[in-house]
Amino acid sequence: MDRYRGNSQAIAELVKGHAVHRDVYVDKEIFELEMEQLFPNSWIYIGHESQLKNTGDFITSKIGNQPVLASRHRDGQVYVLHNRCPHKGVKIASEACGNTGKFFRCPYHAWSFKTDGSLLAIPLKKGYEGTGFDTDQAAKGLKRIENVKIYRGLIFVRLAEEGLSFEEFFGDALSTIDNMADRSPEGELEVISQPIRYMHTCNWKMLVENQTDTCHPMVAHESSAGTAVSVWEREKDNFTETPMAVQLYAPFMSPYEFYEGAGIRVWPNGHGHTGVSGSIHQDYEDVDGYQDMMVEAYGKERAAEILGDIRHNTIYFPNIMVKGPVGILRNFIPLGVDKTLVESWVFKLKGAPDKLYERGLMYNRFINAPTSIVGHDDLEMYERAQEGLLSNGNEWVNLRRLWEDDEPEETTEVVNGTSERQMRNQFYAWRKFMVQNMDKAVEAAE
Amino acid sequence: MNRDDLIDFVYDEAAAIDQMRWNDWLALYHKDGRYWMPLEWQQEDPILQPSLMYEDRLLLTVRVERLTGERTFSQKPKSRCHHLMERPRILSMGEDDGVYKLRTSFIYTETRGDLLERFSGWVSHELVEVDGALQIMLKRIDLINFDAPFSNIQLFI
C-alpha cells in the first residue's frame, strides 16, 4: 500500500524544521511524488535562450522525469513542448541540442511538426479521414507547455497548469540572476559551450543542501583545498604572482568565523543564498580593463554596486544553484532516488574580457567535474550519507544549527552564515510544493 | 633519442602511474608541462573551451599529495588503476621544433572498493629533451565519450 501518495499529512510530517525524516532521501515513493508533484508545481530551469539563436535551434531537457524540448520558431518565439510524438510517444528530439530546420520529423512514422509544435503533416493522411482523428489530442501536434518565462535569457517552465506565477515563485531571489547578467557590460549572458557533467549516486537534495552548507568546506575539503594551500605555501617563492588556481582554491579553507560573518539570506519558497556581506569569491584579482568597461556601461556608482555584490551560492528552489560572480549555474537533475546528474554550465558575460570566462571555466573544472578533487571530497560524503541513512538507529537528519522555535517559514531574512536555516527553508518549500494540488487531486478521484 | 626511447617513455610513464610512484611520475613533467583532458571533440583551446583537466605541475603536485593525505576520505579505500596500451604511434621526431609527438590508443581501468570503471581513448604525448632525458610538455587525453557524465576519476589516465 502507498504510504505517501494522496496522504499530504504523512508527507508534511517528514519535515519538522529542525529535522527531516530520512525518507525524503531514500524512499522511492517519495521520489516518485517529487517527480509527480514537486517538479511540475515548481518553476524549473531548462536552458538558456542563447542556446536557441537561430530559427530551428532546439534544446532538450527534463522536468522531473518528463522529457521536454524548447525550440526557436520562425516567429522568433521560444516554444517549450512535450518531447513526445503524439502518435506513439517516440521522443522527437534525442540530442541535447541541435537545429531541426523548418520542422521536426518523427523518425518512426514521419509525422512532422512545425517548430511551434503544431502538426504539419502525416503520411498517407487519407487513412485518418472519417475516423474522428481531428478530435484527438494527437491532431494538435506536440503538446505545448504554456507556463514559460524567459528571464535575462534563462528559460524557466512550470508544467502544472495552476500554481504560483514566476514572479510570485521567485520574488526577490531573482536579484542574483540580475547581478550575474549585470556583470556583463551589455547586461547579457551567453552559453557558448557544453556543461561539465558529473554523475552522483545520491539523492539530488543532498547536493542542493551542500550549496549553502558553510560548515563543511574547511572539513571535507581539507584534503583538496587544504593541500592546495600547503603546497602553495611551500612553492610560492618560485612564483612571481599568485596563480588564478590558488586564488580559486585557497578561500575554501576560510575559517568558521568568516562564514558566520558572511551571512545567509533566505527568501520565501525555498530560495536563499550564502555570502551576503562578503564571500569566498571576493578576493579574486582584478581583470585588466573590466572595471573601466563596467563604469563606461553603467556609471561609476552602479558599476560599484554590481561588482560589490559578491554573493556565494544562490539556491533557486528546487534544483539549481547560481554562482553570480563566477558565472556558473549548476543543475541538479534527479534521475532516481539515489541517482543525480549534475550539469554545471559556465556563462560568458557578453562584452567582458575573456579572462572572466577563463576563470569561470577553471572554477568549473576545479570544483564541479568528475576529475575535480573538491568534487571527490563532496561525492564521498553524499555516497556515505546515502548508505548511512539506511540505518534504523536514527530515522532523522538533524538540521538544528541556529534553529529558533518560532522560525518563520515564508520570509526574507538575513541570518548567521553558519546557520542551517536555508536547508530548513528548502524543506518548508519542499513540503509546500509536494502537497500542493495533492488533496485536490485526491478529492477529484474520490 | 631514437624511436624505441620514445615508445619506452610512454610505457614507462603509464607504469609509474599504475605502480603509484607519484614522485617519479611528476619528475617526468617539464617545469612548464601540462596534463590536459579536453571536454570537446578535436578541441583546440584548453583555456577558453571547457576541459575536464588542464593542470600544471603545481596542481598535479596538489593532486598527488592529496592522494596520500590522512584526511582524504575519498581515498579510503584507495583507488588503483591499470593502463592497457596499444603500441604508441610516433607522429613527429621533432625535426622542426624539437618536440617529439606520439599518439597511443588505450583502455584505462580505475577501481576503488567494489567499483570498477573503464575508459577508452587516445593519449597524445608532446615530449622534449632536457639534459639528455625526455620530459612531458603536454600529455593530452581524449576520451571517446568525453561528454558523458562520469562518476569520480581520481587517478591519472
Side-chain angles (χ1 to χ4, degrees):
Chain A
M1 199 183 115
D2 292 342
R3 291 158 69 197
Y4 295 112
R5 179 169 279 102
N7 189 348
S8 56
Q9 178 72 21
I11 292 171
E13 283 170 4
L14 296 173
V15 178
K16 280 204 264 185
H18 56 76
V20 291
H21 193 271
R22 56 111 179 255
D23 278 4
V24 305
Y25 305 101
V26 302
D27 188 86
K28 287 198 173 86
E29 190 192 356
I30 287 290
F31 181 80
E32 285 169 17
L33 290 169
E34 287 179 337
M35 300 301 102
E36 294 170 24
Q37 303 278 337
L38 177 70
F39 279 77
N41 286 336
S42 304
W43 285 86
I44 303 297
Y45 177 77
I46 61 162
H48 193 266
E49 200 180 16
S50 60
Q51 296 168 269
L52 303 166
K53 280 201 172 69
N54 303 310
T55 304
D57 282 354
F58 69 87
I59 53 171
T60 60
S61 187
K62 287 210 299 187
I63 297 170
N65 53 8
Q66 302 187 44
V68 299
L69 69 85
S71 71
R72 177 79 69 181
H73 190 53
R74 61 168 188 232
D75 63 0
Q77 299 294 306
V78 170
Y79 291 89
V80 183
L81 310 167
H82 283 272
N83 187 5
R84 175 242 193 251
C85 183
H87 181 204
K88 296 278 219 170
V90 170
K91 270 169 71 176
I92 292 294
S94 63
E95 292 173 280
C97 60
N99 185 292
T100 192
K102 287 198 170 68
F103 57 89
F104 290 103
R105 179 179 181 273
C106 181
Y108 200 2
H109 301 96
W111 287 31
S112 58
F113 311 91
K114 295 179 192 166
T115 45
D116 64 356
S118 55
L119 186 64
L120 182 63
I122 296 176
L124 212 59
K125 187 135 192 211
K126 63 177 187 243
Y128 290 100
E129 280 167 15
T131 64
F133 177 74
D134 53 356
T135 64
D136 289 345
Q137 195 191 324
K140 294 183 190 139
L142 300 172
K143 190 173 165 63
R144 193 183 291 171
I145 297 161
E146 301 297 338
N147 297 298
V148 177
K149 174 76 182 184
I150 302 180
Y151 188 82
R152 305 295 298 254
L154 284 74
I155 308 169
F156 289 89
V157 173
R158 194 194 69 218
L159 270 189
E161 284 172 14
E162 288 176 36
L164 293 185
S165 71
F166 177 82
E167 289 75 15
E168 287 168 329
F169 186 78
F170 285 124
D172 291 340
L174 293 170
S175 54
T176 293
I177 291 174
D178 284 332
N179 179 259
M180 178 165 67
D182 287 344
R183 284 168 178 270
S184 148
E186 299 171 20
E188 282 187 44
L189 302 167
E190 198 176 12
V191 170
I192 59 166
S193 58
Q194 292 303 304
I196 289 182
R197 307 172 80 210
Y198 190 0
M199 193 63 84
H200 283 60
T201 43
C202 68
N203 187 269
W204 64 277
K205 294 187 291 301
M206 291 182 186
L207 279 139
V208 180
E209 283 165 45
N210 190 60
Q211 307 306 307
T212 62
D213 183 328
T214 57
C215 289
H216 90 282
M218 66 297 282
V219 182
H221 300 308
E222 185 185 335
S223 97
S224 49
T227 303
V229 169
S230 67
V231 169
W232 171 244
E233 285 301 319
R234 199 180 64 219
E235 303 279 338
K236 66 181 176 191
D237 291 344
N238 302 323
F239 290 76
T240 52
E241 51 189 46
T242 309
M244 187 188 276
V246 175
Q247 294 177 41
L248 299 185
Y249 271 129
F252 275 72
M253 292 309 286
S254 304
Y256 292 116
E257 296 72 32
F258 173 82
Y259 290 104
E260 280 191 306
I264 284 178
R265 180 183 281 123
V266 293
W267 288 295
N269 298 324
H271 319 298
H273 77 96
T274 47
V276 177
S277 55
S279 78
I280 63 167
H281 307 308
Q282 69 191 14
D283 291 328
Y284 300 158
E285 204 169 76
D286 285 342
V287 168
D288 279 348
Y290 177 51
Q291 187 84 24
D292 294 342
M293 279 179 179
M294 290 293 283
V295 171
E296 174 84 9
Y298 294 101
K300 201 171 171 188
E301 199 177 323
R302 177 72 187 128
E305 199 175 275
I306 294 165
L307 297 175
D309 194 354
I310 311 171
R311 299 179 186 187
H312 180 203
N313 293 340
T314 299
I315 296 299
Y316 286 88
F317 184 84
N319 70 324
I320 63 167
M321 182 277 277
V322 170
K323 193 183 269 299
V326 193
I328 285 177
L329 183 151
R330 302 189 75 198
N331 192 359
F332 307 107
I333 303 167
L335 301 182
V337 68
D338 57 358
K339 196 169 182 189
T340 305
L341 168 60
V342 186
E343 292 189 342
S344 300
W345 299 80
V346 182
F347 290 111
K348 189 169 193 306
L349 301 174
K350 269 196 181 173
D354 282 347
K355 200 80 182 164
L356 288 163
Y357 189 54
E358 175 185 343
R359 185 159 74 196
L361 291 173
M362 181 183 275
Y363 191 96
N364 209 29
R365 66 176 182 264
F366 280 179
I367 313 300
N368 302 330
T371 38
S372 150
I373 53 181
V374 170
H376 298 159
D377 293 336
D378 283 328
L379 178 52
E380 178 70 13
M381 299 305 118
Y382 308 142
E383 287 179 342
R384 290 190 191 198
Q386 196 69 37
E387 290 185 28
L389 285 173
L390 297 177
S391 159
N392 289 336
N394 177 358
E395 295 187 5
W396 295 87
V397 168
N398 192 292
L399 295 176
R400 206 185 278 272
R401 178 179 287 281
L402 295 167
W403 186 70
E404 288 169 40
D405 246 337
D406 52 352
E407 189 166 283
E409 296 189 10
E410 297 268 2
T411 185
T412 299
E413 204 175 325
V414 174
V415 297
N416 180 308
T418 59
S419 173
E420 287 169 340
R421 175 72 176 271
Q422 171 53 20
M423 302 178 206
R424 298 192 288 271
N425 192 39
Q426 284 156 208
F427 276 108
Y428 299 139
W430 182 88
R431 182 176 58 196
K432 173 176 167 180
F433 293 104
M434 276 290 272
V435 305
Q436 192 180 61
N437 304 328
M438 183 180 271
D439 293 336
K440 213 186 293 174
V442 172
E443 281 161 24
E446 278 167 1
Chain B
M1 293 291 160
N2 64 36
R3 296 176 67 87
D4 278 349
D5 293 333
L6 298 174
I7 291 168
D8 285 349
F9 182 91
V10 170
Y11 285 128
D12 289 345
E13 193 239 350
I17 299 173
D18 287 353
Q19 293 162 15
M20 300 194 195
R21 290 184 283 108
W22 301 125
N23 290 331
D24 292 351
W25 179 63
L26 281 178
L28 299 176
Y29 276 78
H30 186 274
K31 65 177 175 48
D32 299 320
R34 293 284 190 284
Y35 178 103
W36 182 22
M37 285 178 76
L39 193 66
E40 294 182 3
W41 177 245
Q42 297 180 337
Q43 187 170 333
E44 289 174 7
D45 186 345
I47 305 287
L48 293 175
Q49 285 177 277
S51 298
L52 287 166
M53 279 176 72
Y54 183 63
E55 308 216 335
D56 58 12
R57 273 187 66 149
L58 183 75
L59 291 171
L60 293 175
T61 303
V62 171
R63 282 181 184 270
V64 161
E65 294 197 12
R66 175 185 175 276
L67 286 174
T68 53
E70 180 53 36
R71 289 181 175 163
T72 304
F73 298 105
S74 77
Q75 282 299 299
K76 297 180 178 211
K78 289 204 173 303
S79 302
R80 289 192 297 273
C81 67
H82 176 259
H83 288 77
L84 181 66
M85 301 162 82
E86 192 182 62
R87 181 177 180 276
R89 289 168 56 218
I90 298 173
L91 304 182
S92 169
M93 288 296 288
E95 292 89 348
D96 298 334
D97 56 1
V99 182
Y100 303 101
K101 294 184 180 140
L102 298 93
R103 185 168 159 98
T104 311
S105 183
F106 69 84
I107 296 174
Y108 171 80
T109 309
E110 189 170 303
T111 178
R112 178 172 173 251
D114 298 338
L115 296 176
L116 182 142
E117 303 268 7
R118 264 203 186 115
F119 305 89
S120 297
W122 302 267
V123 54
S124 303
H125 283 83
E126 292 188 11
L127 308 174
V128 293
E129 196 177 330
V130 178
D131 298 332
L134 288 168
Q135 291 189 338
I136 300 171
M137 278 308 294
L138 180 67
K139 178 177 176 179
R140 168 180 173 145
I141 295 108
D142 287 279
L143 296 174
I144 49 168
N145 58 342
F146 49 87
D147 52 355
F150 305 116
S151 187
N152 286 350
I153 302 173
Q154 295 203 58
L155 301 180
F156 305 94
I157 295 178

